[in-house]
Amino acid sequence: MIYLDHNATTPVDPEVLNAMLPLLREHFANPASPHPAGQAVARLVDRARRDVAVLAGARPRDVVFTSGATEAANLAIAGVLATAPPNRRRVLVGATEHPAVLAAVQAAVELHGGRVQTVRVHPDGAIDLSHLRALLHPVPPSTAVPPSAAGSAADPEGSGGPRGRGEADEVALVAVMAANNETGALNDPRPVAALAHEAGALFLCDVTQAFGRIPVSVTETGIDLAVASAHKMYGPKGTGALIAGRSVRARLTPLIHGGGQERGLRAGTLNTPGIVGFGAAARIAAAMMDDEAIRQRAQTDLLFDLLVGWLGADALEVNGPVEDGSARPGPVRLPNTLNLRFVGADADAVQSCLPDVAVSAGSACHGGGSEPSPVLLAMGRSATAARESLRFSVGRFTTVDQIHAAAATVARAVLRVQSLRAVGSGEVPWPAEPGEPELPAASDRPAAGWTGEVSPTPGRTPELPVPRSALP
């Protein structure tokens, strides 16, 4: 199996597992216990908290451990709305946010009151800052244009009539992710934070996909609340974190009540193996992130070039940022992520022809079945284009040989689906003796435009993970 679905989850790094095993064997005491065994475990938890904080550009006391980013998002969103004043119950969310954030916002609004508005994104997936500004500062009814006018400034999101700031309608929270899980599109948190704070709102940033892949600094960028998960960065499932400063934490109310662990915000005996694993994963990511980014960007670029070589440039469309003046994947994206439309080939059908290559047609947390990706629809893609799109996300242990093999296998699958579609539509006659169309062999290299071995830009592709001797 060639695993190219690291944005869904990652394997546990062997060094992370080694760090966790003592917590399942000899260091099993409760960190809240006052005896030496408990305090020894508490010190391990403290170290993990420091390691996560360093990677997040935050202070250790700002890290609240949870069961994952989903719980962290629910804690942050419900906590903010539960204590928000009655005149500040509006929440703005990016159109391409993760389902965990979207569902948490909707549930919190239903419970505590308020309303949700969606912030548009550009066709490359980046947040539309002009639309965010318009939603944060709506035009008062007295100066608004008639509701029937197209693109009414009084209702820039197009979900109702004009509403003014005097109608208990101030914004409590803005939620915009740092990196999209499907397309890899990046948002700079700094302008979003500045606009939110200018309007008196808090800024929640889902850094789950960015964490450990690109630099993140909660403090320097003005993020009030950040959520992350260990299993996206070679740590264990079931562990995550809410990262929030003291003044913001004081405004939250807990979802889980009990013994008062995690500064009273998340009760329950700590998942010490998971937390220590999270800390180890953060330490490793801090040491390897720069080199991994170079290698993984080279691999996704290589994958794109190989697929173009097999299928032709007209058969592919990049979903997400592209280079200026070209159709190639752009630099302003997660280095490990590539989302492609294969024109004329249904993504589910292509996946059914890929038993040995793991890829994704959307978020692993989106239960829409055959429904097209909401992320791609929000970016302006048609339903057909969204249904013909696949996400490839490489990882720490992906090799160049695997990229070559995967490209050939995917190309074979795409050509097969396209040929079957053409036969089914009557565009080409069914052969007298049905057989496999002539497709590239998995071990071949593209014929047209390629000679010899294909390799990314020299100096950018360490073939294997960085030696662990580089770790602190």
Side-chain angles (χ1 to χ4, degrees):
M1 168 67 71
I2 299 174
Y3 186 77
L4 300 181
D5 199 21
H6 290 80
N7 285 10
T9 193
T10 58
V12 173
D13 188 288
E15 290 196 9
V16 171
L17 179 60
N18 288 337
M20 295 172 61
L21 286 176
L23 278 297
L24 296 167
R25 294 170 175 164
E26 59 267 27
H27 299 304
F28 55 83
N30 191 323
S33 299
H35 48 65
Q39 291 309 292
V41 175
R43 287 191 292 272
L44 294 174
V45 170
D46 288 342
R47 183 189 178 188
R49 200 183 303 275
R50 289 195 303 271
D51 291 332
V52 172
V54 167
L55 189 63
R59 296 166 297 188
R61 63 177 178 270
D62 297 339
V63 176
V64 176
F65 287 118
T66 65
S67 66
T70 295
E71 183 192 334
N74 277 266
L75 171 59
I77 294 164
V80 167
L81 282 189
T83 59
N87 67 332
R88 191 175 287 277
R89 293 288 174 85
R90 192 155 52 103
V91 181
L92 307 183
V93 294
T96 56
E97 292 300 300
H98 191 276
V101 170
L102 296 173
V105 167
Q106 192 60 47
V109 165
E110 292 176 0
L111 180 63
H112 301 291
R115 67 181 179 126
V116 184
Q117 291 176 291
T118 301
V119 186
R120 292 192 295 259
V121 297
H122 295 292
D124 65 358
I127 201 73
D128 186 336
L129 293 174
S130 297
H131 190 228
L132 172 60
R133 184 180 294 105
L135 292 175
L136 285 165
H137 304 285
V139 177
S142 59
T143 59
V145 296
S148 59
S152 170
D155 185 36
E157 81 286 2
S159 61
R163 298 181 64 158
R165 293 171 67 84
E167 295 187 36
D169 209 28
E170 300 287 345
V171 176
L173 185 68
V174 175
V176 173
M177 63 186 359
N180 187 264
N181 51 299
E182 292 190 31
T183 66
L186 303 181
N187 289 305
D188 184 348
R190 290 169 294 187
V192 180
L195 289 172
H197 296 160
E198 179 186 341
L202 294 175
F203 173 35
L204 167 67
C205 189
D206 178 359
V207 302
T208 303
Q209 292 294 340
F211 210 45
R213 293 188 176 130
I214 60 174
V216 171
S217 178
V218 170
T219 302
E220 292 182 3
T221 55
I223 297 172
D224 298 303
L225 301 134
V227 300
S229 196
H231 78 99
K232 304 290 189 178
M233 48 181 291
Y234 309 94
K237 296 176 179 66
T239 306
L242 169 64
I243 304 165
R246 180 178 179 180
S247 62
V248 177
R249 293 198 308 274
R251 298 170 62 173
L252 304 181
T253 57
L255 294 176
I256 301 173
H257 301 273
Q261 290 87 349
E262 292 301 280
R263 297 170 182 81
L265 284 178
R266 208 279 183 177
T269 302
L270 297 184
N271 172 13
T272 51
I275 289 170
V276 169
F278 194 3
R283 273 197 315 279
I284 294 170
M288 301 179 67
M289 179 167 50
D290 293 342
D291 290 324
E292 282 192 340
I294 293 171
R295 180 174 59 83
Q296 291 173 2
R297 187 177 298 279
Q299 288 182 346
T300 53
D301 287 346
L302 174 61
L303 177 61
F304 176 79
D305 289 338
L306 290 169
L307 288 169
V308 169
W310 285 125
L311 301 171
D314 293 340
L316 300 177
E317 294 178 1
V318 175
N319 295 315
V322 295
E323 285 185 356
D324 293 339
S326 79
R328 292 182 55 78
V332 187
R333 62 180 169 95
L334 286 176
N336 79 314
T337 305
L338 183 64
N339 193 304
L340 297 175
R341 177 194 180 189
F342 296 93
V343 180
D346 179 80
D348 288 339
V350 172
Q351 281 188 287
S352 70
C353 298
L354 297 174
D356 298 322
V357 179
V359 295
S360 173
S363 169
C365 299
H366 177 64
S370 61
E371 291 301 310
S373 162
V375 168
L376 298 183
L377 296 180
M379 293 165 57
R381 305 299 189 266
S382 68
T384 297
R387 288 192 177 97
E388 295 176 346
S389 297
L390 287 172
R391 178 189 69 188
F392 303 85
S393 47
V394 303
R396 178 170 295 166
F397 306 110
T398 306
T399 67
V400 170
D401 284 345
Q402 289 178 327
I403 296 297
H404 279 283
T409 303
V410 171
R412 285 172 57 84
V414 170
L415 290 172
R416 176 174 175 79
V417 171
Q418 289 173 336
S419 67
L420 292 175
R421 175 183 176 182
V423 169
S425 65
E427 295 177 12
V428 297
W430 189 269
E433 295 182 4
E436 287 287 336
E438 186 175 344
L439 303 175
S443 60
D444 291 340
R445 293 290 187 265
W450 297 86
T451 57
E453 283 292 319
V454 180
S455 61
T457 305
R460 298 178 60 199
T461 57
E463 172 65 20
L464 298 175
V466 175
R468 294 305 167 79
S469 59
L471 299 180

